[in-house]
Amino acid sequence: MIEGWITQLRKGLLEYCVLLVLRRGESYGYEIVQALKRMDDLSVSESTVYPILGRLRNENLLKVRDVPSPSGPPRRYFALTPHGKIRLAEMNAYWPLLTETVERLKTTQPKES
Amino acid sequence: MIEGWITQLRKGLLEYCVLLVLRRGESYGYEIVQALKRMDDLSVSESTVYPILGRLRNENLLKVRDVPSPSGPPRRYFALTPHGKIRLAEMNAYWPLLTETVERLKTTQPKES
DNA sequence: TAGACTACTCCGTTTGACGTAGTACGTAAT
DNA sequence: ATTACGTACTACGTCAAACGGAGTAGTCTA
């Protein structure tokens, strides 16, 4: 079905979405998950988001700061590093190119050959 | 670098693009590859497109018709099946939801907490 | 008969999404 | 004091797509 296709479509996109959320300021895992879950058509689970956070951190796009939580284990706050901001800017530049390409394909008329 | 991200972003999207190309009428592998290569920011290779055509065919979204070619081996024309048209319609419905979600994330203001 | 061009096909690697399960820490109720 | 509940993760394994590189097989041209 189409669910499998949607799973594939999300590849890379969720990484972008996480950076976009963090663009607004630092946040911790659970909060990021909630923020993305709130977006309809983007219902993600913990097991999807946490690996992304780990990867982005390994790539030095995110930095981490542990803060004691009022309820539960200490929160791990993530924030964009300078590298992360650059990467996000590159993504912000590329994404519209992609969507425009799709738009162009959608609107081209049938060939009459 | 960002190339890896772009590779991931294309997952699923190229499948959609192939169906969009075929929406204009039947076409054969080489022509589809050329059509997609012509799109800037979407430079694909044979080894990417042909597996997609095979998969779409296996899923009964495309039907095939062999036609002798004026130069070279017979061309394999691909065309949307009824199933393919339905799938394409579903994709056409979902894709804007995704792009709007990203747009929403891009435009939300930083929280002031 | 040797290129050159067309139209594919096959294989192996890399990477991301996601389900399931588990861990650890803290607060509140019994 | 123990149990139960909510928070915040972590680990593991499976599946599937993109893509590089190499190979194959027809046909036309010189």
Side-chain angles (χ1 to χ4, degrees):
Chain A
M1 291 298 104
I2 205 173
E3 293 84 30
W5 174 66
I6 292 176
T7 294
Q8 296 304 323
L9 258 195
R10 297 153 88 104
K11 305 248 168 130
L13 193 61
L14 295 179
E15 190 176 316
Y16 180 34
C17 289
V18 166
L19 292 179
L20 281 175
V21 167
L22 255 16
R23 173 194 63 99
R24 303 185 296 169
E26 66 172 10
S27 183
Y28 51 97
Y30 194 78
E31 197 181 51
I32 296 169
V33 172
Q34 300 309 319
L36 294 178
K37 271 189 173 156
R38 242 173 275 128
M39 301 278 127
D40 303 341
D41 321 304
L42 205 69
S43 66
V44 290
S45 73
E46 287 77 10
S47 54
T48 299
V49 175
Y50 284 111
I52 293 174
L53 290 170
R55 266 183 274 139
L56 293 174
R57 192 194 178 185
N58 285 342
E59 291 183 75
N60 242 308
L61 303 176
L62 297 184
K63 56 176 179 249
V64 166
R65 189 170 70 93
D66 284 352
V67 175
S69 166
S71 66
R75 284 172 179 166
R76 181 158 284 183
Y77 276 90
F78 294 89
L80 295 178
T81 61
H83 267 88
K85 287 179 185 174
I86 292 171
R87 176 64 61 88
L88 179 55
E90 292 173 332
M91 290 173 162
N92 276 330
Y94 184 77
W95 175 249
L97 297 180
L98 244 204
T99 56
E100 278 160 31
T101 295
V102 172
E103 217 50 43
R104 223 177 313 140
L105 280 171
K106 280 177 80 167
T107 53
T108 37
Q109 294 305 314
K111 53 175 177 186
E112 74 300 335
S113 64
Chain B
M1 288 299 105
I2 205 174
E3 293 82 33
W5 175 65
I6 291 175
T7 294
Q8 295 304 321
L9 257 196
R10 294 150 154 265
K11 305 252 170 120
L13 192 60
L14 294 179
E15 189 175 316
Y16 181 33
C17 290
V18 167
L19 292 179
L20 281 175
V21 167
L22 257 15
R23 174 195 61 100
R24 302 184 296 168
E26 68 173 8
S27 183
Y28 51 96
Y30 195 79
E31 198 180 51
I32 296 170
V33 171
Q34 301 309 320
L36 294 178
K37 271 190 173 155
R38 241 173 278 128
M39 301 276 127
D40 305 339
D41 321 303
L42 206 68
S43 66
V44 290
S45 73
E46 288 77 10
S47 54
T48 300
V49 174
Y50 284 110
I52 292 173
L53 291 169
R55 266 183 274 137
L56 293 175
R57 191 195 181 185
N58 285 340
E59 292 182 75
N60 243 309
L61 304 176
L62 297 185
K63 58 176 177 249
V64 167
R65 189 169 70 94
D66 284 352
V67 175
S69 165
S71 66
R75 285 174 178 164
R76 181 157 285 181
Y77 276 89
F78 294 89
L80 295 178
T81 61
H83 267 88
K85 287 179 184 175
I86 292 171
R87 177 65 61 89
L88 179 55
E90 292 173 331
M91 289 173 162
N92 276 331
Y94 184 75
W95 175 251
L97 298 181
L98 244 205
T99 56
E100 278 161 32
T101 296
V102 172
E103 218 50 46
R104 224 177 312 139
L105 280 172
K106 279 175 81 167
T107 53
T108 38
Q109 294 305 314
K111 54 176 179 186
E112 73 303 331
S113 62

